[in-house]
Structures are given as C-alpha cells and as structure tokens.
Amino acid sequence: MTPISQAMADSATMLRRNLRHALRYPSLSVSSIITPILFLLLFVGVFGKALGKGVGGVDYIDYVTPGIILMAVASGCMSPSVAVAVDMTEGVIARFRTMPIARSSLLTGHVVGSMMQTLISLVLSVLAAVAMGYRPDAGLGGWLGAAGLMVLLTFALTWFAVALGLLAKGPEGASNSPLLIQFLPFLGSAIVPPDSMPAGVRWFAEYQPFTPMIEALRKLLMGQPAGHDAAVSVAWCVGVAVVGYLWSKRLFNRDPSR
Amino acid sequence: MTTKPVQTAIEVVGLRKAFGDKVVLDGLDFEVPRGTVFSLLGPNGAGKTTAVQILSTLIGADGGEARVAGRDVARDPDGVRRAIGVTGQYSAVDGLLTGRENLILMADLYRLGRAEGRRRADALLERFDLVEAAGKLASTYSGGMRRKLDIAMTLVAEPQIIFLDEPTTGLDPRSRRAMWEMVRSLVAGGVTIFLTTQYLDEADRLADRIGVLNGGRLVAEGTSEQLKRMVPGGHVVLRLAGPDGLDAAARVLPASARDDEALTLQVPSDGGVRSLRALLGRLEDEAIEVEEFSVHTPDLDDVFLALTGDTAGDAGDQQDDERKAASR
Ligand SMILES: Nc1ncnc2c1ncn2[C@@H]1O[C@H](COP(=O)(O)OP(=O)(O)OP(=O)(O)O)[C@@H](O)[C@H]1O
Ligand SMILES: [Mg+2]
C-alpha cells in the first residue's frame, strides 16, 4: 500500500469510529445542526420586521439567509474542538500512537465527520429558509459557486477548530475559544449592514474575513458576479486551512509526556 | 508481520529520560533475546512505565539508544510499531465502542480485511471469556474485563514483541492464571514479552530474566535464581540420622544453627553448586550420614526489598503515587 492510500484507509476507519460515537451520543451533533434553524426563526420571524428596515430595498429574509448559512458553518465547525479535546482524554489515543497507522488519520477522521455534520446543518438551514419564503435568483453556476465556497470554508474552519481543540487543556477549555469565531459573523454583515454600526466596529466589520464571505455568498445566491469578494474569501479560506492543518499536525505530534 | 526477525528483540544502551529536572531513567542498559520474557521490577515511581513508553515509541528519550525488533525507536518509530503490541498500565480501550467493535477497530487499522478481522475478534472474545459482554459498551465493563479487552486488542495483530505494563493488576486469580498460560504459549510461539509487574511471584514464574529498576538504574539483572543468590538469607538445611550425627556435623560446620528436636542443622549458603559440593564433600570426608538435604534461597520479595530499600518511598514518590492513583 502506498502511504496515501494507507492514510485514506486509516482515515476512513477513524471516520467510522467518530460517526459511531456521534450516533451513540447525538446531543452535541443535534444541537449544532438545529442551532442555525433557530437563528433563522429568531431573526426572520421575530426580529425580521424591525431589522428589515435597515437593509434597504431587499426582503430581509433574502438579506439574512446567507448570513445565517455562514453562522451555521461557523458554529458547526466548532464542535470538533470539543470532540477532539474529549477524544484526547481517551486512553485509546495512546494505543493509536503506538500503532503503525497514518498519524494524521485520527484528525482527518474528526475533520471529515464534523464536515459532514456541518454540511447537513447547512443544507437544512437553506431548506428551512426556502420554506420561510427565501427565493434566491442564482443559476446553476451561482449555486455551485456558493456550495464550493461553503465547503472550502467548512474545511478551513474545521481544521482550525481541531487545532484549538488540541491546544486546549481539556474539554472545558476547548468549548471556550471557538466562541469568538462563532461570534464573528455578527460583527460583519450577517444580520445588518456594517454601515449602521458605530465607527470602530464598522472598521472591524469591513476588514474581518467573514464580511467578504457573506458578501460573496449573498451575491452568488442573488445571481450577481462576486469576483472580488469571492477571491478574497478563497484566499482567507486557503490561508486558514493551511494554518489549521499544519498547526493541528504539529500539536498532535507533540511528545505526549510534555 | 513483515519485519525480519533479529536475535535480539530489545536492546537498550544508556537510556536516559527526565521530566523537568526530575531524572527518571539515568542510563539504562539491557538486552532481551527473541522469544524470551523480560520482567522489569521496581518500586512505584521507579520509571517502569516510562521505560515501556519510550520502548513502545509513545514518548521520546533524552539520551541513549534503544532498538526494538532491530529498529531504532527514535529514527524508525513506524518500523518499531509494525513489530510491537502494547498494553499500557492505564486502560487503552475506546469506552464508546463495544468490546467487539474495539477489536474490529484494531483489525481494521491493521488492515486485516473484513472477514479475517471478524474471525480474530471473535476468537479473542472467546479466549478472554468476553463473549457475553462483546456487545456491551466498553465503558460499562468492570476493571478486570476492561483489562482483558485491552490485552485482547494488543493481540489482534499477532505482534512479535509485546509490552505488558502490569497486565494482571486487577485480575482475579483465575484470569491471572489464564494470563500466565497465555504468556507462556505466546513465548512458545517465538514472541518476546517485556513485562512489568508488582507481583514478584509472577515475575518468578514467567520471566527468563528480571531487571530491578531503582533510582533510574538497573540495580540488578539476571535470572530469578541469580537474583535470589545476591541477597543474604540463603541457607541449606541438613537432617541427620541421629543425635551423634548432629553433634559431628555441628563440629564440622561451626557457623551453623542446630535444632536438636528436629535433628536439623541450618547452614548459611549462597546456594551455588560449588559451595554445596564443598559442603557435602566435608560431611562425606567425616563419614557423616545425611538423611535429607534442602536448599532454601530467599524469594524475590527478599531480593526486591533488599535492592530497593534505600530510596523507595521518599516524599516525592509518595506524592506521585497519590496523583497517579487519583487519575486511574
Ligand atoms: N508526564 C510526566 N510528567 C512529569 N513526570 C512524570 C510524567 N510521567 C511520569 N513522571 C514521573 O516519572 C517517575 C516515574 O514514573 P513511572 O510511571 O514510569 O513509574 P512506574 O515505575 O511505572 O511506577 P508505578 O509502579 O507506580 O506504575 C515518577 O516520579 C512520575 O511522577
Ligand atoms: Mg507504572
């Protein structure tokens, strides 16, 4: 077997292990899947009337849905932090470390399993939005672009979350650090346009990575060209993915006696 | 397993390891020939687990060299990993999987194939008396059951060299005997076993060679007979035919202690063949009739206590033990 096919086979085995864990203790997965739908109900159904006045011209649900989708990704991606931190406390990890398996397969298994959960929650959010009256104008190209961008973002954030989970001293610590990332979309253009925010926050909102992503997603789903925003988003995703992957690998390969 | 057999299964030269400024292993040297059992003894906190962890590539050493199955643990850890199986001191089973799923997980990671993996898993469940519990989550197992599952997981890939860190701690007498049988049959099949234990009779029964670790070094190494001869307390008991014989023998062997009622004489001896021959030769020369003759060597407990008496149980070690007991 080549190292690559060995790594794939080991990752698939680890993925099966993680999915089994998730099915046995579904609480974490269920909450991360339904949170975005609750957000949608809250922002459209409850706050929608008031918030809709600030977005100028468009239906509020058309404005906010891409934001909610992004929040679904951001919050879903953080569950691997806790999952990895909990897993690291399991004795079986020491056994894996003395076995002739691809070292990264344990992490890859977590990443793929968590991406599946996040993408399910994302699809459910879109369906819920459509049921509530969301009518995107995108053609096939727009949908594919949007889907590609979301998969890339999910991949990047998941690796980053895995690194945070490995860095944390334990499951409690791991549940704190991702909070910041989950909060970031609020300080972008997810819920209301940044123009309406105080100056300092507006400056932050304009330059933080989630804003171009929300904008790119919004444009793609409205069937508009998203060139610049999409390019900036892809660059961010690739950067975060590379950092997250290398950092995770390095943290996992640390001598466990330290 | 594909690793080519070498005659020395484990070879350790000058192995060193410190945690912070606490030196745990301070120049460890030993060799374990293929197909034998080596047992590492030592008081709590002596560094047995640390040695197992270094040799099984879990943690790195600070100095020295270690080769396992002919591969250097630092330079070729994957080569070592292909040849070994490890049952550590602390449970290494996946609590969220059933016993059977744990074994199949191992089979999958060793790429044994679906049918073969299942076959071995079921055979091991049978062998370790876990058939009834096979479908239950490992987190619901008793300590001894988890221990057995842990060892079964180590055997899935049929490794050539097996590390067992206190394998029978927490096992009932029947399971312990079953474990000994298993170790013997593995060794008969050419497997090398590196074993740590707190039960000295276990080392005595199983080990071809024993190393006693204390203060970061092997303070003694050899067969259990050799170790027993290192400590004082060994003696020979002679039973004489009658009171006259006892008197005569006591005259020939002035350093002895006599028991007039039992007609026995206890003579200090290291138990070695040469000194025994000399002793019997002296009695022969005086034509003294010996009815019964027995050699008493000290047991491993005596050896252990004598060799590790000076540094064991200092305050630091005691604290460590409390920490470890709490995390168990
Ligand atoms: N990760 C670690 N960090 C700091 N110190 C450690 C670490 N692991 C072990 N030690 C220390 O190293 C020493 C040796 O520990 P080790 O677990 O190897 O002992 P042991 O001989 O296996 O003891 P026991 O019989 O209690 O299992 C102890 O003093 C312990 O506190
Ligand atoms: Mg130990």
Side-chain angles (χ1 to χ4, degrees):
Chain A
M1 252 193 198
T2 67
I4 303 252
S5 66
Q6 175 181 334
M8 304 239 303
D10 292 347
S11 302
T13 305
M14 293 299 188
L15 173 62
R16 276 202 300 281
R17 167 176 180 264
N18 288 335
L19 292 181
R20 232 180 221 131
H21 287 182
L23 288 178
R24 238 151 240 176
Y25 287 89
S27 54
L28 201 66
S29 358
V30 169
S31 73
S32 79
I33 285 175
I34 62 170
T35 307
I37 298 178
L38 293 178
F39 270 133
L40 198 64
L41 290 171
L42 188 68
F43 283 108
V44 178
V46 183
F47 305 145
K49 229 176 197 163
L51 292 170
K53 297 204 174 87
V55 299
V58 292
D59 268 349
Y60 186 62
I61 192 165
D62 289 339
Y63 181 88
V64 83
T65 300
I68 300 282
I69 291 176
L70 219 89
M71 284 163 59
V73 174
S75 65
C77 286
M78 291 303 131
S79 70
S81 266
V82 180
V84 166
V86 170
D87 207 13
M88 287 302 133
T89 64
E90 286 266 342
V92 75
I93 302 298
R95 179 182 286 282
F96 292 148
R97 286 177 189 274
T98 61
M99 287 171 63
I101 55 179
R103 277 246 137 170
S104 53
S105 62
L106 183 74
L107 302 180
T108 316
H110 272 290
V111 166
V112 176
S114 153
M115 280 183 74
M116 285 165 65
Q117 279 179 32
T118 304
L119 294 175
I120 289 172
S121 120
L122 190 153
V123 168
L124 290 179
S125 317
V126 173
L127 291 179
V130 170
M132 289 169 72
Y134 178 51
R135 293 290 175 267
D137 314 314
L140 184 65
W143 277 107
L144 286 181
L149 187 60
M150 287 305 100
V151 171
L152 184 62
L153 176 64
T154 306
F155 180 75
L157 283 185
T158 306
W159 271 112
F160 194 71
V162 166
L164 291 181
L166 290 170
L167 189 69
K169 289 277 183 291
E172 294 83 8
S175 62
N176 291 333
S177 39
L179 221 63
L180 260 166
I181 295 176
Q182 291 171 350
F183 193 64
L184 274 185
F186 286 100
L187 296 181
S189 60
I191 307 299
V192 293
D195 304 347
S196 61
M197 300 174 182
V201 182
R202 189 191 319 150
W203 182 85
F204 177 79
E206 262 161 38
Y207 290 98
Q208 68 122 323
F210 278 104
T211 298
M213 288 182 214
I214 298 169
E215 290 308 315
L217 188 63
R218 208 168 263 147
K219 286 177 184 159
L220 285 167
L221 291 177
M222 283 178 175
Q224 298 168 0
H228 177 68
D229 285 323
V232 174
S233 306
V234 169
W236 268 108
C237 289
V238 170
V240 171
V242 169
V243 170
Y245 173 74
L246 293 178
W247 192 21
S248 299
K249 237 181 119 152
R250 197 182 151 140
L251 287 171
F252 185 67
N253 285 339
R254 268 187 314 191
D255 194 319
S257 68
R258 245 162 259 270
Chain B
M1 297 274 109
T2 51
T3 316
K4 123 177 159 298
V6 274
Q7 283 319 304
T8 306
I10 304 174
E11 201 180 345
V12 172
V13 182
L15 199 64
R16 302 173 51 78
K17 176 77 181 177
F19 293 108
D21 45 10
K22 182 177 169 71
V23 177
V24 176
L25 300 179
D26 189 14
L28 208 54
D29 301 280
F30 61 87
E31 260 184 35
V32 182
R34 217 165 78 84
T36 66
V37 180
F38 182 87
S39 177
L40 194 60
L41 307 181
N44 292 136
K48 302 180 293 296
T49 297
T50 305
V52 169
Q53 288 177 339
I54 292 172
L55 294 176
S56 62
T57 75
L58 185 60
I59 65 175
D62 296 337
E65 288 209 29
R67 297 173 75 79
V68 175
R71 315 294 179 105
D72 189 289
V73 291
R75 259 164 279 156
D76 184 12
D78 268 320
V80 173
R81 289 173 190 145
R82 270 190 283 278
I84 64 170
V86 189
T87 297
Q89 183 170 3
Y90 308 106
S91 166
V93 307
D94 189 331
L96 295 182
L97 298 182
T98 67
R100 189 159 184 270
E101 284 168 348
N102 265 293
L103 293 169
I104 292 176
L105 173 68
M106 293 298 111
D108 288 345
L109 288 173
Y110 283 104
R111 291 176 281 278
L112 297 178
R114 209 180 142 82
E116 175 65 7
R118 263 138 246 257
R119 195 189 62 70
R120 284 199 202 173
D122 291 332
L124 285 164
L125 287 168
E126 187 87 38
R127 184 163 165 192
F128 284 89
D129 214 0
L130 289 171
V131 176
E132 254 172 71
K136 299 206 179 88
L137 290 191
S139 56
T140 66
Y141 282 19
S142 74
M145 286 159 75
R146 203 168 309 154
R147 198 81 197 130
K148 290 196 267 185
L149 177 62
D150 211 329
I151 293 167
M153 286 167 76
T154 299
L155 297 183
V156 168
E158 299 178 349
Q160 324 168 3
I161 300 173
I162 299 181
F163 293 91
L164 301 173
D165 197 355
E166 303 196 18
T168 60
T169 301
L171 293 191
D172 62 39
R174 182 196 303 282
S175 303
R176 173 167 302 157
R177 265 156 215 281
M179 179 76 59
W180 292 344
E181 273 320 301
M182 191 204 73
V183 167
R184 289 198 189 101
S185 77
L186 286 169
V187 171
V191 173
T192 309
I193 308 262
F194 184 98
L195 171 102
T196 79
T197 181
Q198 298 292 354
Y199 302 106
L200 300 182
D201 62 321
E202 181 166 297
D204 208 355
R205 280 161 202 256
L206 291 179
D208 295 294
R209 294 185 76 78
I210 295 170
V212 181
L213 186 60
N214 195 35
R217 292 171 163 277
L218 277 191
V219 290
E221 206 237 296
T223 64
S224 91
E225 296 310 313
Q226 286 169 338
L227 293 192
K228 287 171 190 166
R229 255 180 257 129
M230 288 177 63
V231 295
H235 57 263
V236 172
V237 178
L238 307 170
R239 192 157 66 79
L240 286 311
D244 297 346
L246 188 59
D247 286 339
R251 232 175 297 120
V252 180
L253 306 165
S256 57
R258 58 188 286 174
D259 181 337
D260 285 312
E261 218 151 298
L263 294 180
T264 58
L265 200 61
Q266 182 173 325
V267 192
S269 161
D270 62 2
V273 174
R274 187 178 303 228
S275 64
L276 289 180
R277 193 178 291 140
L279 174 71
L280 291 176
R282 267 195 356 256
L283 295 169
E284 186 93 51
D285 291 344
E286 302 290 325
I288 299 169
E289 184 96 6
V290 179
E291 289 268 291
E292 207 177 285
F293 172 88
S294 57
V295 182
H296 293 259
T297 43
D299 63 11
L300 274 184
D301 286 22
D302 300 327
V303 179
F304 186 85
L305 294 173
L307 288 173
T308 64
D310 45 345
T311 59
D314 63 56
D317 282 346
Q318 227 158 339
Q319 253 175 5
D320 292 337
D321 294 337
E322 277 157 24
R323 175 179 61 76
K324 288 203 304 199
S327 73
R328 223 170 269 216

